[in-house]
Amino acid sequence: MNGFREHFQRFMVGRYGMDRLGHFLNGAAFVFIAAGFFSRIRLLDMAGMVFLILCYFRMFSKNIGKRFQENQKFERIWFRISEAFRKWRFKLQQSRKFHIYKCPSCGQKIRIPRGKGKISIHCPKCGTDFIKKS
Ligand SMILES: [Zn+2]
């Protein structure tokens, strides 16, 4: 067992190894292969295999600079996706807690907490009062 580990460590010298993109590819491979297995859609586990091959290719690659750049690019994209998702979730939470009404005379948008029954809303822009159910 120890011999194998030493051998593997020696093999990995000068090779890139694992990073965030590697973990992502590995996870994606697992998801696709599992989905392919359960749905019996061959294309899915083929895609999974591609992800897995890419993951190992990058891990054993000796072109460390290029792999590092790939990971940087991935981190940037990942950040943008997670930011968009965070914003979307915030909006959803807001829309659950608040209702947006438009003032009937000037069109000003007013945010009102939900679940307060019938309330009178005072427009801060033009001073119109109107009744709405929140
Ligand atoms: Zn108004």
Side-chain angles (χ1 to χ4, degrees), residues 40-55:
R40 291 173 195 279
I41 299 172
R42 299 271 320 160
L43 206 69
L44 286 174
D45 52 52
M46 266 162 67
M49 285 309 287
V50 171
F51 280 123
L52 206 62
I53 288 163
L54 269 174
C55 174

Side-chain angles (χ1 to χ4, degrees), residues 81-97:
I81 292 171
S82 62
E83 276 298 287
F85 183 71
R86 217 175 49 82
K87 269 185 202 153
W88 174 78
R89 226 178 53 186
F90 179 75
K91 257 189 177 169
L92 198 77
Q93 277 173 354
Q94 289 286 301
S95 75
R96 236 182 257 151
K97 281 186 201 154

